[in-house]
Amino acid sequence: QLTAMRTTRQSGLQTMAVQLATELADKMRANDGQMKKSDADNPFVGLSYQHSVDGLPQSPSKLCYSAYCNTRELADFDIYGWKKRLASTLPDARALVCRDAQPWDEAGHALSWNCQPGTGTGTSLVIKLGWQAKNSDGSLVRDEAKQFPPVVAFTVEPYVQ
């Protein structure tokens, strides 16, 4: 029964992670003004967050509920709201958005936090999400670096600079 309960919990968390990744991908696609910028100027690319390290996210300079926001302010606002939902949904949530031609680590038989952008400018953006999961025996899921690996890697359509 305990194993069934753990499996059900992990399944629910994975479903929520896919929904959160889809939400962020939709916000990224909708903010074309920021997505067409270079990776260095794009606030979505390089987004890195871990709740246990970073704590709750800081409010952006402008809350875009009813005020006019430019595309950068809207991106900051969207990222802030998304991080808050991530922190409240997944235990010890961790997220990373990067260009990665190979999110799956063949040697480790798991997703990896490392980003390998590959060659060319059309490499897809990948949203990686993870949390401290448990194995069916109750032990913590850890990779070779003694960290919990990503559980979800969601590919966003490629943007060419």
Side-chain angles (χ1 to χ4, degrees):
Q1 283 181 336
L2 186 57
T3 300
M5 288 174 56
R6 275 195 197 104
T7 303
T8 300
R9 169 115 171 103
Q10 291 304 316
S11 177
L13 291 172
Q14 191 162 11
T15 299
M16 290 305 301
V18 169
Q19 289 174 348
L20 285 163
T22 301
E23 175 191 340
L24 183 61
D26 287 344
K27 289 182 182 300
M28 291 167 70
R29 290 183 196 113
N31 196 334
D32 202 46
Q34 294 300 306
M35 293 306 294
K36 287 187 176 178
K37 290 184 173 186
S38 69
D39 287 354
D41 295 328
N42 184 331
F44 295 106
V45 179
L47 185 155
S48 179
Y49 177 71
Q50 186 169 358
H51 181 258
S52 65
V53 175
D54 302 326
L56 290 175
Q58 298 294 316
S59 292
S61 61
K62 197 171 193 181
L63 298 177
C64 302
Y65 292 111
S66 60
Y68 170 79
C69 290
N70 63 35
T71 59
R72 176 56 194 237
E73 293 166 333
L74 182 60
D76 291 342
F77 174 72
D78 286 342
I79 291 168
Y80 164 72
W82 185 78
K83 284 180 179 179
K84 280 180 56 177
R85 285 186 293 286
L86 183 68
S88 68
T89 304
L90 302 176
D92 192 18
R94 182 175 177 189
L96 179 65
V97 178
C98 62
R99 292 202 182 273
D100 194 350
Q102 193 173 358
W104 181 260
D105 177 13
E106 194 65 41
H109 302 292
L111 295 170
S112 170
W113 289 114
N114 296 327
C115 296
Q116 300 174 19
T119 58
T121 57
T123 304
S124 295
L125 288 173
V126 178
I127 300 168
K128 298 179 182 186
L129 297 177
W131 59 89
Q132 185 51 74
K134 292 186 178 182
N135 292 307
S136 60
D137 65 0
S139 64
L140 298 177
V141 175
R142 299 287 187 188
D143 62 13
E144 292 174 1
K146 305 292 185 219
Q147 297 179 350
F148 60 87
V151 179
V152 171
F154 191 89
T155 302
V156 181
E157 65 187 78
Y159 279 86
V160 179
Q161 281 79 48

